Amino acid sequence: MKAWEVQPGAAALDDLKLVTRDDPAPGPGQVLVRVRATSINARDQAIVAGRYRMGALTRPTIILSDGAGEVVSVGEGAGRFAIGERVAGCFVQGWVDGAYRPEYRGRAMGVPLDGTLAEMMVLDENGLVPIPDYLSYQEAATLPCAAVTAWNALYRSAPLIAGQWVLLIGTGGVSIIALQLAKAAGAPVIILSSSDAKLEWAADLGADETINYKTTPDWVEPVRAASGGGVHHVVEVGGGTLPQSIAALALGGQIHQIGFVAGREVPFNAPAFVGNFARLNSVLVGSRASFEDMLRAMTAAQIKPVVDKSFAFDDAHGAFEYQKSPALFGKVVITV
Ligand SMILES: NC(=O)c1ccc[n+]([C@@H]2O[C@H](COP(=O)([O-])OP(=O)(O)OC[C@H]3O[C@@H](n4cnc5c(N)ncnc54)[C@H](OP(=O)(O)O)[C@@H]3O)[C@@H](O)[C@H]2O)c1
């Protein structure tokens, strides 16, 4: 089969190579999936650039954590899926339910485990979910990392209640599906972006208030004013935006700390945090049960993830270039 591998010592996109590997076969309890579509996350850019926090790779590894496809064969004793069933892989293999545990470290798809950007993949049958009929492979492939993360931000610690205000930072993969999930739950949303055009698209998806963080870098007061005194949830993909997010909270509001697109080192204003009775919640994607809960909610609301652009398998480099460009809105997909 053909696959895209990131090489040990990778430091740039040229280190992502198209290779041929032996076709995999499912062992006991495993499932062979013909991959139909995959998607790129910010994490994959960091892996290819040699900046991912797990450090340098020790072996060539198939890139990307997210993918969807159809079951083509199953190994001995594997009974969860039938041949031909449409499935998506879970980001953390083996995390079926409950809280994150130490043994799940090292079980993430697309580093350190082989990922999805290949014609075929073999996974334990417990590391897959069935995908709903109304979603295409491309749409389903956007979900395992960004969407499950957004779902856990909004529902894992203190579930979002209709009418609570949600603040979203930027218009990347996590933020746009968070917008769709929050609106489906009856929550008003404020979204920030560097681009007025993207803010218009976000408004088309239901965003109630939009703020350009380039032209309005001091967005705390506009957010507090728009939300009538502060937001209840922040899906914090910025990192560097944490001080402003804390200041934008309503009393008792929650920050769901997810990512670092606006910087990793941030001053922590402890008095402001305590004064707002704020709560800080870490999110690391989520379990298979979270993925399944989210798919039920998405199906009920018929939420279609936003696929910004789909690239051909041979043009993985083009897809990576586009995903980190200012044009990005939502998710970039590679059709296999
Ligand atoms: N903890 C976890 O489990 C988990 C899971 C998924 C992602 N993450 C992390 O979450 C972050 C977002 O991931 P993603 O996949 O959604 O990324 P992405 O799709 O690459 O989105 C990037 C977007 O971030 C916005 N942005 C960039 N710099 C910004 C700044 N200074 N201030 C505000 N917004 C800014 C931009 O939005 P505009 O173009 O609209 O300005 C950009 O399009 C990444 O750090 C990623 O590693 C963590």
Side-chain angles (χ1 to χ4, degrees), residues 2 32-39 64 66-72 83-89 115-121 128 131 135-142 310-314 332-336:
K2 285 198 217 165
L32 175 65
V33 176
R34 168 71 176 91
V35 181
R36 296 292 180 189
T38 64
S39 78
L64 300 189
D66 294 4
E70 63 188 305
V71 173
V72 289
I83 309 292
E85 209 166 336
R86 301 163 79 244
V87 293
T116 59
L117 193 50
E119 290 172 317
M120 284 174 252
M121 63 180 176
L128 293 158
I131 55 177
L135 292 178
S136 67
Y137 284 122
Q138 283 81 2
E139 290 163 341
T142 67
S310 178
F311 288 76
F313 182 74
D314 287 345
V332 173
V333 163
I334 299 172
T335 300
V336 180

Side-chain angles (χ1 to χ4, degrees), residues 149 169-174 193-194 198 213 258 260 262 283-285 323:
T149 300
I169 314 280
T171 59
V174 174
S193 177
S194 56
K198 293 198 227 178
Y213 65 80
I258 290 169
F260 315 98
V283 183
L284 202 164
V285 194
Q323 199 280 340

Side-chain angles (χ1 to χ4, degrees), residues 24-319:
Q30 293 182 323
V31 171
L32 175 65
V33 176
R34 168 71 176 91
V35 181
R36 296 292 180 189
T38 64
S39 78
I40 304 178
N41 292 286
R43 167 185 190 264
D44 304 307
Q45 299 282 2
I47 291 168
V48 166
R51 289 186 282 102
Y52 192 51
R53 67 188 161 82
M54 292 180 74
L57 297 186
T58 53
R59 65 176 180 92
T61 306
I62 298 173
I63 191 79
L64 300 189
S65 57
D66 294 4
E70 63 188 305
V71 173
V72 289
S73 67
V74 300
E76 192 187 327
R80 282 192 71 222
F81 296 99
I83 309 292
E85 209 166 336
R86 301 163 79 244
V87 293
C90 298
F91 181 91
V92 181
Q93 290 291 298
W95 184 10
V96 173
D97 201 356
Y100 189 83
R101 291 158 43 150
E103 57 265 36
Y104 303 146
R105 290 206 188 282
R107 303 294 303 158
M109 293 283 288
V111 173
L113 302 181
D114 275 327
T116 59
L117 193 50
E119 290 172 317
M120 284 174 252
M121 63 180 176
V122 165
L123 295 178
D124 189 284
E125 64 169 354
N126 288 313
L128 293 158
V129 296
I131 55 177
D133 292 343
Y134 83 97
L135 292 178
S136 67
Y137 284 122
Q138 283 81 2
E139 290 163 341
T142 67
L143 302 176
C145 179
V148 176
T149 300
W151 173 262
N152 274 302
L154 296 174
Y155 287 104
R156 193 76 196 171
S157 56
L160 175 64
I161 296 171
Q164 290 186 327
W165 281 87
V166 175
L167 173 63
L168 303 173
I169 314 280
T171 59
V174 174
S175 296
I176 292 303
I177 190 70
L179 166 62
Q180 295 174 288
L181 293 170
K183 290 309 299 177
V189 171
I190 303 171
I191 191 164
L192 313 179
S193 177
S194 56
S195 152
D196 288 340
K198 293 198 227 178
L199 289 173
E200 279 183 31
W201 299 335
D204 290 343
L205 284 172
D208 299 86
E209 300 286 340
T210 62
I211 298 172
N212 186 318
Y213 65 80
K214 288 282 187 215
T215 54
T216 308
D218 297 328
W219 41 261
V220 171
E221 283 314 317
V223 167
R224 295 190 67 83
S227 56
V231 296
H232 303 92
H233 295 263
V234 184
V235 179
E236 229 312 335
V237 300
T241 42
L242 180 63
Q244 287 170 285
S245 293
I246 291 172
L249 284 180
L251 286 182
Q254 300 194 72
I255 309 273
H256 308 287
Q257 188 61 57
I258 290 169
F260 315 98
V261 293
R264 290 173 174 267
E265 304 292 331
V266 285
F268 184 73
N269 186 336
F273 187 74
V274 173
N276 257 350
F277 288 79
R279 284 174 291 168
L280 185 57
N281 170 38
S282 304
V283 183
L284 202 164
V285 194
S287 66
R288 190 185 88 199
S290 292
F291 198 165
E292 291 163 340
D293 288 346
M294 181 192 74
L295 287 173
R296 260 192 303 279
M298 287 183 65
T299 303
Q302 293 286 290
I303 294 173
K304 290 271 210 174
V306 175
V307 175
D308 178 328
K309 205 164 174 182
S310 178
F311 288 76
F313 182 74
D314 287 345
D315 193 18
H317 283 198

